[in-house]
DNA sequence: TTGCAATATGATAATGATTATCATTCCAAT
DNA sequence: ATTGGAATGATAATCATTATCATATTGCAA
């Protein structure tokens, strides 16, 4: 996927002709940070990253992430340890995870893109993102 | 998917030629219960269900679910509210969930079956199950 | 069978990520 | 400038899950 670098507000790219929400400085800053991350991050990790550029309270980060999710700008996934990781919706990656040691290997392709577009028309939902993950046991953990 | 009704120990059906683990009475009972559920259940919900048939401590249920997961007999998914739901691996269903009200609509098809089999050969992992979920906003929550 | 070591179980305390509170600050529109 | 509503931050509370630890079972050898 091609991203316009440093769009002043990437909302345009996602929502077309919908009620336009104004992001606060903090939300915008958080979104920018997220869009520049190569990996999904937890709320607490984001708290640490923002700390150096634009300090934002942890509670506010959780609230902002929720808001951005509802706007279709941010997506989430939950790790085996129970922490939620966030990333920009443009970040469409999936993993193969070992149930034993927890190691995650990224997949190269996303076989769901088509179905997502198809569902978009079929269902009455407006679809923002999806999660796809495979679980099993890695070679090293083979018992 | 067709299920042999009341297999004495469905492990055979999943693991072929691997070190055969003996499930304890509680684990077996829990697995049976899970295989008869039409919907994924949380550990606590299972605790409530087992209560009437074969009382098992909550901690033991969590441990058993973890064990069954490692054996490739049980799968899990995490809801928006953060609770983990468990189901027998035979239960291959996916959902379209509203980020606002949390309602989940089941999908009819699983477009990942093939890729899973393919990955099985490509990767060095032994793949047990996968999760696939679409997130968006339902018609009623449309803002 | 009997005895023991390894494993499983239950009750309960502890953990930790997330959420609820609430006082304060910001913001937009009179 | 004034004001009502939304946003923020610090912090307490929540609650699903884990860690403990004492007790009960199980598997196996003597
Ligand atoms: Mn994808
Ligand atoms: Mn599937
Ligand atoms: Zn592993
Ligand atoms: Zn909804």
């Amino acid at each position: 996927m091609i991203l316009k670098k440093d769009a002043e507000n990437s909302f345009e790219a996602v929502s077309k002709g919908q009620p336009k929400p104004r992001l606060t400085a903090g939300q915008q800053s958080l979104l920018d940070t997220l869009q520049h991350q190569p990996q999904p991050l937890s709320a607490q990790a984001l708290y640490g990253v923002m700390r150096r550029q634009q300090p934002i309270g942890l509670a506010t980060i959780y609230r902002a992430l929720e808001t951005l999710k509802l706007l279709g700008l941010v997506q989430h996934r939950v790790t085996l340890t129970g922490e939620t990781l966030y990333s920009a919706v443009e970040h469409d990656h999936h993993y193969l995870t070992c149930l034993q040691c927890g190691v995650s290997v990224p997949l190269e392709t996303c076989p769901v893109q088509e179905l997502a577009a198809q569902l978009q028309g079929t269902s009455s939902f407006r679809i923002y993102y999806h999660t796809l993950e495979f679980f099993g046991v890695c070679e090293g953990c083979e018992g």
Side-chain angles (χ1 to χ4, degrees), chain A:
Chain A
M1 171 174 285
I2 300 175
L3 293 177
K4 285 197 285 283
K5 57 177 176 181
D6 275 318
E8 64 302 328
N9 185 328
S10 71
F11 182 75
E12 309 291 351
V14 178
S15 171
K16 300 178 180 180
Q18 300 313 319
K20 180 177 183 177
R22 307 296 155 62
L23 298 183
T24 67
Q27 294 169 341
Q28 187 58 249
S29 177
L30 181 65
L31 178 58
D32 290 339
T33 296
L34 224 34
Q35 292 179 329
H36 291 168
Q37 295 297 325
Q39 308 288 336
L41 293 181
S42 69
Q44 309 219 23
L46 279 167
Y47 177 63
V49 173
M50 299 293 293
R51 205 168 199 164
R52 291 187 281 285
Q53 310 298 37
Q54 190 103 198
I56 298 180
L58 183 56
T60 301
I61 287 190
Y62 275 106
R63 283 185 290 236
L65 288 171
E66 187 59 31
T67 296
L68 294 173
K69 252 183 9 186
L70 264 335
L71 291 176
L73 298 172
V74 164
Q75 64 175 308
H76 85 284
R77 85 184 186 96
V78 180
T79 70
L80 284 182
T81 62
E83 56 183 0
T84 301
L85 303 185
Y86 301 85
S87 59
V89 289
E90 295 81 15
H91 187 280
D92 182 21
H93 294 170
H94 304 291
Y95 308 84
L96 172 48
T97 302
C98 177
L99 292 167
Q100 192 127 90
C101 67
V103 63
S104 281
V105 178
L107 305 182
E108 325 71 30
T109 63
C110 170
V112 188
Q113 293 285 26
E114 278 185 37
L115 182 69
Q118 188 182 320
L119 257 183
Q120 186 69 274
T122 303
S123 75
S124 60
F125 277 58
R126 174 181 312 193
I127 299 174
Y128 289 151
Y129 63 95
H130 60 262
T131 61
L132 168 63
E133 187 161 3
F134 293 88
F135 296 95
V137 178
C138 77
E139 207 162 20
C141 291
E142 189 66 48

